[in-house]
Amino acid sequence: MSPIRTTLRRAGLVAALTTAGVLAAAGAAFAHVTVHPETYAKGATDGVLTFRVPNEEDTASTTKVQVFLPTDHPVLGVLVTPQEGWTAQVTTTKLKTPVKTDDGTITEAVSEITWTGGRIRHGQYQDFNVAFGQLPDDTDQLSFKTLQTYSDGNVARWIEEEQKGAAEPENPAPVLTLTAEDAETGSDGTSDSASGSASSSSSSSAPAVAAGSTSSSDSTARGLGIAGLVVGVLGLAAAGYALARGRGARSE
């Protein structure tokens, strides 16, 4: 094999391996359990949270999903939307600090929702919709730790909380950011873009292909995809340079 072909093959192999690694990382970004919309106003009332659960296993289906709601900053008035094929079990907990509302003092709140009976197969995700009466107004974010159980017995634990200044954890918990209400906030406490996301999610009652991933994952994947393209271009440029250099040497 000529030196030119050897150089071209090596350059192409490096570009292919690097691009494959980038695309693999992009695929991993889609595997997280997420909550939608990602942002609500503090103290928002009468809204919907959608927990999106993708299946990340090639040979097993998701058969159980457990979402844990915080009780130090409780979500009040939780109601679960019936989901075809799934049975929801709601667990309530007595609050250490009762919450005073216009309708009276709340002493208990939902602390866990468990869905069983259905299946989320490879290449699919499922949206689980939860309505709420009121979100807390004394915190900047809510973390919903989630356990995802597969048909082979494995459990994905989405329970790690991201720390400021640190890289995203490997198994992040779904996080809802709470912001101060402003002029662009709708009557239910969501921004215009968040309302659109919630509306789109709530209309889905059956599993869909994984193309409907979260906006944050989309952004990450787009960035990784661009990085992959850049790597590919660099690899082709290196191959072109090697080819031109080889031709020059041969002509001499």
Side-chain angles (χ1 to χ4, degrees), residues 189-209:
T190 62
S191 64
D192 292 339
S193 60
S195 296
S197 174
S199 174
S200 173
S201 296
S202 62
S203 64
S204 172
S205 58
V209 294

Side-chain angles (χ1 to χ4, degrees), residues 15-107:
L17 290 176
T18 307
T19 303
V22 170
L23 294 178
F30 286 103
H32 300 169
V33 175
T34 51
V35 61
H36 303 272
E38 298 175 347
T39 302
Y40 254 110
K42 294 181 179 181
T45 58
D46 301 327
V48 175
L49 296 175
T50 298
F51 294 93
R52 179 160 295 176
V53 183
N55 187 77
E56 63 173 2
E57 293 289 341
D58 295 334
T59 59
S61 299
T62 297
T63 56
K64 181 179 180 180
V65 177
Q66 296 167 269
V67 175
F68 298 88
L69 285 69
T71 55
D72 52 346
H73 301 286
V75 178
L76 305 181
V78 170
L79 297 173
V80 179
T81 301
Q83 195 77 36
E84 184 178 357
W86 295 84
T87 300
Q89 180 179 350
V90 178
T91 301
T92 59
T93 298
K94 188 176 181 62
L95 299 175
K96 293 182 179 179
T97 304
V99 179
K100 294 182 179 180
T101 69
D102 294 338
D103 298 323
T105 301
I106 307 298
T107 59

Side-chain angles (χ1 to χ4, degrees), residues 167-183:
E168 182 183 34
E170 183 177 355
N171 298 298
V175 173
L176 176 68
T177 300
L178 299 179
T179 62
E181 188 171 357
D182 55 33

